[in-house]
Amino acid sequence: MSSLQIGIVGLPNVGKSTLFNALTNNDILAANYPFATIEPNTGIVPVPDGRLQKLADIYGSQKLLPATVEFVDIAGLVAGASQGEGLGNKFLANIRQCDAIVHVVRAFDDSSVLRHDDTAVDPKNDIEIINTELILADIQTIENRLPKLQKEAKAKPAAREQAGYLESLMRHLQSGTPLSALPSVDHEAIADLHLLTAKPVIYVFNVDENGLSDSTNQEHLRSMVAPAKALFASAKLEEELKGLSESDAKELLESYGVEETGLMQLIHAAYDTLGLQSYLTAGPKEVRAWTIRQGWTAPQAAGVIHTDFERGFIAAQIVDFDDLIAAGSESAARAAGKVRTEGKTYVMQPGDVVEFRFNV
């Protein structure tokens, strides 16, 4: 699969663009007024992976190519966006292409930072505004599709079945339930509709420095969005981390009782939410991490490198990363019986270092 794409959304002035700048080490405009972001800004970020350098040391590799995540900072949403308010449908169109949505919610008080409607900070209300707009947009999308399906349903059983399914989804949406909150959704049946509320959502509560260690408030905020994942980050602190050395950044985080940067928390949450993992390839030219879905077989994983690899797959030579590092070289790992040959039904594991064999 190509680079993982995550849309960062939120109401105006919640710290969304500041967080985006920090995550991507970018310097886009992050002003204290609505619609500081008009066009979606994108930043492709390497996924930090300490295994790559260790493999490069063993293979004498010339290049390190980590997996990547593409963050898309999308213009601040306002109530009425589904009806064209603010940047309206343009904003919503930008989310449709993303694999997951990161919803940034303001959870700090600061009189110098204007709130989108000049009222008190209210995370629950802010979440409801955006959810409502996404739900209304999905209702509109289904309403546009249904007449055609209902017409075809008279002669085509498949159309009748799909119309029935969309009608059932419509009922959930009309009751105020985002599709991601349902026990299961047939994503294949609605793939071409790109429904917004069917996408996985990760909530990032933008807190002040004190909020990073306030477990009581965190639990309260987490309960608002359960069972979705909730992360807590300070956009201000993340901005301070930019440009620091690894050791200085670690020291600053520890002073606030935080183990990981917002970027690492987000990447882990996104991989977990979307059911992703990576495997590794290594050689003198390059060491590389490839992103795949959990449960994929060796041929499917090979297809990420090139479709010909999947079509002509013969076998995969695999060694576990930890076994390879312990052995010190591929030849030593092979001599110790740690390199094995796997076939078409093998399910890939996160620590796999792989060489594929295939017919062209």
Side-chain angles (χ1 to χ4, degrees):
M1 57 187 298
S2 56
S3 183
L4 172 63
Q5 193 176 61
I6 293 175
I8 301 180
V9 306
L11 291 165
N13 298 349
V14 296
K16 188 168 54 68
S17 291
T18 303
L19 187 65
F20 173 87
N21 287 346
L23 293 176
T24 60
N25 220 1
N26 244 329
D27 284 303
I28 61 166
L29 175 67
N32 180 22
Y33 54 88
F35 306 124
T37 312
I38 296 175
E39 290 299 322
N41 295 284
T42 62
I44 295 177
V45 180
V47 176
D49 191 338
R51 299 176 300 175
L52 298 182
Q53 186 58 58
K54 292 179 180 178
L55 287 177
D57 292 342
I58 286 177
Y59 287 90
S61 310
Q62 294 169 24
K63 284 194 296 186
L64 276 69
L65 297 171
T68 57
V69 174
E70 183 178 355
F71 288 105
V72 183
D73 176 38
I74 297 167
L77 186 58
V78 294
S82 59
Q83 303 304 314
E85 289 295 322
L87 296 169
N89 293 327
K90 185 173 183 183
F91 164 91
L92 297 169
N94 290 327
I95 312 177
R96 292 189 192 280
Q97 304 311 315
C98 295
D99 298 297
I101 295 171
V102 166
H103 182 172
V104 180
V105 183
R106 178 173 171 176
F108 67 90
D109 285 304
D110 185 342
S111 57
S112 69
V113 179
L114 300 173
R115 194 165 179 271
H116 62 96
D117 57 3
D118 295 330
T119 59
V121 174
D122 186 347
K124 192 170 192 291
N125 182 59
D126 289 359
I127 290 165
E128 285 171 0
I129 288 172
I130 286 203
N131 279 346
T132 298
E133 292 309 316
L134 299 184
I135 285 170
L136 289 172
D138 280 354
I139 288 173
Q140 200 173 80
T141 300
I142 293 175
E143 281 177 342
N144 290 341
R145 174 64 60 87
L146 269 177
K148 183 183 175 215
L149 282 173
Q150 287 163 341
K151 192 175 177 183
E152 291 173 355
K154 294 167 186 174
K156 297 179 182 174
R160 193 180 314 128
E161 192 178 327
Q162 188 172 23
Y165 185 58
L166 289 184
E167 285 163 0
S168 71
L169 294 183
M170 177 79 93
R171 287 192 288 275
H172 288 295
L173 291 166
Q174 287 170 334
S175 71
T177 306
L179 301 183
S180 60
L182 299 180
S184 65
V185 173
D186 185 348
H187 289 281
E188 205 172 306
I190 59 171
D192 63 328
L193 290 172
H194 302 290
L195 296 175
L196 302 172
T197 68
K199 295 180 184 294
V201 181
I202 299 164
Y203 290 88
V204 175
F205 289 97
N206 185 13
V207 297
D208 57 23
E209 285 91 337
N210 294 328
L212 290 169
S213 55
D214 187 344
S215 56
T216 303
N217 188 44
Q218 287 184 12
E219 202 49 51
H220 170 64
L221 294 170
R222 193 176 276 116
S223 68
M224 289 181 190
V225 298
K229 283 195 178 297
L231 307 178
F232 304 91
S234 163
K236 190 177 171 186
L237 173 60
E238 295 295 326
E239 204 168 32
E240 287 176 37
L241 293 168
K242 274 202 312 180
L244 291 183
S245 68
E246 197 175 327
S247 59
D248 287 347
K250 191 168 184 286
E251 193 177 321
L252 181 57
L253 285 169
E254 284 173 353
S255 71
Y256 288 104
V258 180
E259 291 180 13
E260 287 187 318
T261 64
L263 174 63
M264 284 307 297
Q265 289 184 60
L266 248 186
I267 288 170
H268 287 152
Y271 268 60
D272 189 39
T273 300
L274 292 165
L276 303 176
Q277 66 186 42
S278 59
Y279 72 87
L280 306 161
T281 56
K285 284 189 180 176
E286 65 180 40
V287 170
R288 186 162 182 167
W290 304 85
T291 301
I292 59 170
R293 298 207 174 275
Q294 291 170 14
W296 272 18
T297 60
Q300 287 175 302
V304 173
I305 299 175
H306 199 289
T307 50
D308 287 349
F309 283 26
E310 182 172 6
R311 277 197 297 265
F313 179 89
I314 298 171
Q317 291 281 300
I318 295 179
V319 58
D320 179 75
F321 171 79
D322 291 333
D323 289 341
L324 178 56
I325 297 301
S329 71
E330 188 181 311
S331 57
R334 197 177 294 280
K338 298 296 185 182
V339 180
R340 61 192 194 277
T341 302
E342 300 287 357
K344 291 183 177 181
T345 59
Y346 175 73
V347 175
M348 299 293 291
Q349 300 302 310
D352 287 345
V353 181
V354 190
E355 181 183 341
F356 292 109
R357 294 185 177 172
F358 59 98
N359 284 319
V360 180

